[in-house]
Amino acid sequence: MLETNTHLDFLEGTIIRVTFKNNENGYTVAVLKTNSEDIIIVGELPFVDEGDVVSLYGEYVLHSTYGRQFKVST
């Protein structure tokens, strides 16, 4: 049976800026432009670049320094 991500939020949009990328582990911080807003996304995204259109599952988290972010799971 295929596991669904019903408990995770879904986002779709275009990567408009990569602000940080760790080439050793793929951890990336980027800005995703959706239809309604620009959202900071974080997670292991080693292959994303500016201009890529992506579909993501994850959850919103509140970072104590950087504020609201979308933590990508898949």
Side-chain angles (χ1 to χ4, degrees), residues 9-69:
D9 292 312
F10 176 77
L11 284 180
E12 191 171 54
T14 303
I15 304 290
I16 59 172
R17 184 172 58 245
V18 175
T19 56
F20 174 81
K21 185 179 282 191
N22 181 322
N23 291 324
E24 290 183 18
N25 63 15
Y27 183 81
T28 302
V29 178
V31 180
L32 181 74
K33 182 170 192 63
T34 69
N35 287 335
S36 59
E37 63 181 319
D38 294 351
I39 301 169
I40 303 297
I41 60 169
V42 298
E44 292 181 21
L45 303 161
F47 302 112
V48 299
D49 287 307
E50 292 176 7
D52 289 350
V53 176
V54 294
S55 299
L56 308 168
Y57 284 97
E59 62 184 329
Y60 287 97
V61 295
L62 188 58
H63 189 280
S64 60
T65 303
Y66 300 110
R68 182 175 178 253
Q69 303 175 335

